[in-house]
Amino acid sequence: MSLKFYNTYTHTTEEFIPGGVRKNTPADYDAVSIYSCGPTVYSYAHIGNFRTFTLNDLLRRYLKYSGYKVEHTMNITDVDDKTIKGANDNGLSLKDFTEKYTNIFFEDLASLSIEQFEHYPRATDNIDSMDDIIERLRNKGLVYEKDGSLYFSIAKFEQYGKLSNLEKRETISGARYDADEYEKDDARDFALWKASKENEPSWKIKSMDGGRPGWHIECSAMVRKIYGKTIDIHTGGVDLIFPHHENEIAQSEAAYGEPFARYWLHWEHLLVEGTKMSKSKGNFYTLRDLTEKGYSPRAIRYLLLSAHYRKQLNFTLEGLKGAESSLEKIDNFITRLNSVNVEETNRNKTVSDAVELYLKDFSESMDNDLNTSGAFGAFFEFMHTVNPLLDRAISKEDKEEILSALKKTDMVFGFIFSDTKTIDAELEKRVNTLIEERKQARIDKNFKRSDEIRDELLAEGIILEDGKEGTRWKLKK
Ligand SMILES: [Zn+2]
């Protein structure tokens, strides 16, 4: 069986062929290009956001498991109404304010065992790429200016609405359109570039003396800058299909005259205690709210992955307790396996059959549009078969085969083995060297490099703390 995804763009389940041309094995393809819409860094992300981010991680991990190379990007939106307001309310520069929440975000990702992606571009570092795409659209007559803002004229992009399957009349009615305080010619048009008000940060682009980017242009610009061509997979939560992803497609395809993305994967919503999350209902959780209640990030990851991504997940504290007790069973199983008596004895065919069945069921489920509930089922079936065999001594080869199947599949699950990183001399030396390099980068005002170093370390679970006496570091618990 080959890997299949439900592609929102074609509204069908399709075989995954990176680059659009079939090759013999996954290793023969160029790195799979993936773009995932990232967070706006003005506050703590909530558990619904983390379903999205954990599923992005699942996708990249399974591609790697299947033998593909991966080049994955997630943008950091560090300029918009909310970040500007947050910075002003806190008396901080936009950079300092958003850096604080970017750090928190990366810490949260690391504690959920979300792998580090290849690129995390910030919007404010990429104004030049946005300028480039706006210029192209202007030259094609697709842009008009009104009161200091630039708008994309949707009437001139005929394919608009293909992703979300919206009838033209529905979009014209404006009933589902995002509210925008600026004046537009047509209710569907969206701002590429926004006039900035007083006390707001402002950038110069070729066609405007000041202003700031609209949200949609950011993603189109980053994709082009990093990949320079049609990408393989674009992901995001279902709430982004319209208008955000529809607008990304319109801008990019109009500007560059080629398809924007081959496969669109959209992660379904998360409900909390059976209803939409909201602060007033008291069911709004950040990751830290849950860890403060004593739940482990590992159990949260487990629960977030347990349902298929195209189904709504009802996240409950009861469910989280259930996840904790499943992990306890897994831990007991691993302890038993690690301490089982090993003897010079013949191999047990039950073991090799169980391993073979497990790996087959695991990949068949995951190949089927990332069916995690099937993969979870395969794992528990395997544990159920192997557990009684550990009552007696087993052969060294059998033990190794079981462990290797578990380690292999944990490349995707990321919760079977609990990670206990320890500080050793080598780690200490490496981290201190990076801290020195970061210090120099900051002196040189090379904030891109200093951010990179911090992000790299965070992805490994190492937190930097800048203080008066310099930078200290610690391992995330
Ligand atoms: Zn986006």
Side-chain angles (χ1 to χ4, degrees), residues 24 48 55 99 111 150 221 224 273 309 322 333 384 410 425-426:
N24 287 333
L55 288 166
E99 183 163 303
S111 66
L150 296 175
R224 194 68 192 182
E273 307 291 346
Y309 79 83
F333 172 61
H384 189 72
D410 206 34
E426 197 190 329

Side-chain angles (χ1 to χ4, degrees), residues 42-55:
Y42 69 99
S43 168
Y44 292 86
H46 60 66
I47 197 67
N49 304 134
F50 286 113
R51 183 183 193 200
T52 292
F53 300 128
T54 309
L55 288 166

Side-chain angles (χ1 to χ4, degrees), residues 330-346:
I330 295 172
D331 287 343
N332 290 339
F333 172 61
I334 300 294
T335 309
R336 266 164 68 74
L337 181 61
N338 281 330
S339 55
V340 71
N341 286 329
V342 172
E343 268 180 9
E344 291 284 332
T345 163
N346 286 338

Side-chain angles (χ1 to χ4, degrees), residues 191-205:
L192 297 162
W193 189 257
K194 296 183 172 187
S196 51
K197 292 167 238 155
E198 225 179 296
N199 292 327
E200 285 194 350
S202 176
W203 288 265
K204 257 188 166 172
I205 53 171

Side-chain angles (χ1 to χ4, degrees), residues 157-184:
F157 185 74
E158 286 202 343
Q159 308 92 297
Y160 193 81
K162 186 158 185 254
L163 181 74
S164 49
N165 234 351
L166 283 181
E167 293 296 323
K168 222 174 170 192
R169 57 188 155 73
E170 277 186 69
T171 54
I172 287 175
S173 77
R176 295 191 52 196
Y177 202 77
D178 63 334
D180 198 316
E181 57 199 279
Y182 303 91
E183 281 296 311
K184 308 180 258 201

Side-chain angles (χ1 to χ4, degrees), residues 35-38 75 215-216 218-220 234-235 240 244-245 248:
Y35 185 89
S36 300
C37 292
N75 63 308
W215 172 39
H216 313 301
E218 186 186 321
C219 293
S220 286
H234 196 310
T235 79
L240 298 188
H244 181 54
H245 289 165
E248 282 187 35

